[in-house]
Amino acid sequence: MDHTFASASILLFLVLDPLGSLPIFIPIMNGVPRERRTRVALREVAIAFAVLVAFMFLGETFLRVMRLSERSLEVAGGVILLMVAIR
């Protein structure tokens, strides 16, 4: 799989589902003081972005070290999605 930065960003956006996460995110943020909410949200976005960039550049090396093929990773992801859908 050869991803560009734009395709990886779109994929991250689709996987994280920010609109679907709002019902979970809003009650969690009720315990955070109002002046810190923006900072906390931006920090979480920055962490997700850093993980995206790290795997974009080091993902193939990680797969080689773990001795996994891209195909096996795709199958495992499909099984996880199937389990979530069945639930």
Side-chain angles (χ1 to χ4, degrees):
M1 278 190 278
D2 192 26
H3 292 292
T4 64
F5 184 75
S7 69
S9 297
I10 291 170
L11 182 63
L12 179 67
F13 181 79
L14 293 173
V15 168
L16 291 180
D17 186 22
L19 297 177
S21 300
L22 280 178
I24 297 169
F25 185 73
I26 291 172
I28 290 173
M29 293 301 281
N30 282 338
V32 177
R34 186 174 288 278
E35 59 275 357
R36 287 198 59 218
R37 289 181 185 169
T38 302
R39 184 184 302 168
V40 169
L42 289 175
R43 181 188 68 198
E44 301 310 315
V45 168
I47 290 170
F49 181 74
V51 170
L52 170 71
V53 170
F55 275 99
M56 191 167 138
F57 291 114
L58 303 172
E60 284 186 41
T61 305
F62 178 75
L63 289 176
R64 255 187 277 123
V65 168
M66 298 299 289
R67 295 185 183 189
L68 294 171
S69 68
E70 289 181 25
R71 186 70 184 149
S72 64
L73 192 62
E74 291 171 5
V75 170
V79 169
I80 290 171
L81 287 175
L82 176 67
M83 291 170 58
V84 169
I86 289 174
R87 187 180 291 169

